[in-house]
Amino acid sequence: MPRKKSQSTPPRQTLRARKVLSQARESTQGLLTALDTVRQTRKATRGALTDEEQDLLRATLVFAAAGLDSTLKELIRGSIRSLAAADPDVQAELEIFVQRQLRGDVDEPDTAAGHKFLSKVLVASSPQERLIDEYVTELTGTSLQSAQQLMKATKALGLDPKQMGIDPKKLQTIFGVRNKIIHELDVNLAKTSARRSRNSRRRDDMEGWSTRLLEIAKALVAGVEGKLKG
């Protein structure tokens, strides 16, 4: 007689998301360990971090944000079809998406764009599958590293952003720092000193923010798995 699967076995739809999240955790922890190793090597027990040490700290937040982005995208790709078939909240968000597409641009309605979208769906061998494909592309086609995009994707999975620990104001601060690092190299153009022309980041802040992002990713995975198992 075959063994029954353990109750703790995760659904197949979330396996890729779990793998991404695991790698993100290992990477961020590895960077913090590397930072400690560098400081121990130069026998630094206190004082400001060097430029190189600051870069390790910056990389920690970048990796955590990327981990949240990739985890959420894999959750969408892996589970949205199953959820859309049975979950009322997911179906409601899907209906909103369809309505927006049929209207064309929300601010400036484009009937031609709506007709084009409808034609693509209707001529597909499986209109429902094509519709879901379009929805997945819409949700994962851009970066999910902003509070607004994160909330939109979370609602698409039928989850309550507040219950997932998503605080727009706090996330705006975190993603703001992440964007300064990615897009501006964390350079502070207001500073006149050539030696310290970049923003100095506190370890407590950067480590705390990185942890917060990965905690949200973990909550999203658990939330989707709860819906799939329910």
Side-chain angles (χ1 to χ4, degrees):
M1 179 179 295
R3 293 183 179 178
K4 293 183 178 180
K5 290 185 177 181
S6 169
Q7 294 296 322
S8 61
T9 301
R12 58 176 175 76
Q13 294 96 324
T14 64
L15 291 178
R16 292 171 67 91
R18 277 176 164 266
K19 184 175 182 179
V20 170
L21 177 55
S22 176
Q23 291 297 318
R25 284 172 170 166
E26 289 183 15
S27 294
T28 52
Q29 186 56 53
L31 287 164
L32 291 173
T33 300
L35 174 58
D36 289 333
T37 300
V38 170
R39 288 182 64 76
Q40 290 170 6
T41 299
R42 71 181 185 91
K43 296 179 173 57
T45 57
R46 63 181 65 186
L49 301 178
T50 65
D51 290 338
E52 293 77 10
E53 291 165 357
Q54 281 278 330
D55 280 336
L56 287 171
L57 204 54
R58 294 184 182 101
T60 301
L61 183 62
V62 172
F63 271 65
L68 172 57
D69 177 285
S70 296
T71 298
L72 184 48
K73 286 178 178 177
E74 289 302 331
L75 277 178
I76 292 169
R77 295 185 184 112
S79 67
I80 200 73
R81 289 172 176 79
S82 298
L83 294 174
D87 191 283
D89 294 329
V90 176
Q91 292 168 353
E93 291 298 318
L94 179 56
E95 288 176 9
I96 293 174
F97 164 73
V98 173
Q99 292 168 7
R100 290 166 62 95
Q101 294 301 310
L102 291 177
R103 287 198 304 266
D105 187 85
V106 176
D107 298 321
E108 299 179 10
D110 184 349
T111 304
H115 289 167
K116 184 178 180 180
F117 170 79
L118 182 59
S119 298
K120 287 193 297 184
V121 173
L122 291 178
V123 302
S125 58
S126 174
Q128 186 179 35
E129 281 297 313
R130 181 57 184 267
L131 182 60
I132 297 294
D133 287 343
E134 293 288 332
Y135 192 35
V136 170
T137 299
E138 164 77 9
L139 293 170
T140 63
T142 58
S143 171
L144 300 181
Q145 300 186 54
S146 73
Q148 182 179 5
Q149 290 296 99
L150 185 57
M151 290 185 69
K152 175 183 175 182
T154 299
K155 289 180 180 179
L157 292 168
L159 300 172
D160 182 348
K162 187 175 182 179
Q163 291 183 355
M164 296 298 104
I166 297 175
D167 184 327
K169 290 184 178 180
K170 291 182 179 179
L171 284 175
Q172 187 174 356
T173 298
I174 297 173
F175 285 127
V177 172
R178 177 264 177 195
N179 291 340
K180 285 183 179 295
I181 295 171
I182 290 291
H183 302 298
E184 303 171 16
L185 295 177
D186 217 14
V187 174
N188 188 335
L189 297 177
K191 289 187 176 182
T192 58
S193 172
R195 182 174 176 274
R196 285 286 185 178
S197 61
R198 301 170 76 187
N199 294 304
S200 294
R201 301 297 179 182
R202 296 177 63 252
R203 175 166 182 163
D204 287 348
D205 288 338
M206 300 292 274
E207 188 172 354
W209 291 336
S210 299
T211 299
R212 179 87 286 266
L213 295 181
L214 294 177
E215 285 177 345
I216 291 173
K218 179 182 178 180
L220 289 168
V221 172
V224 169
E225 290 181 345
K227 282 180 171 289
L228 291 172
K229 290 179 179 179

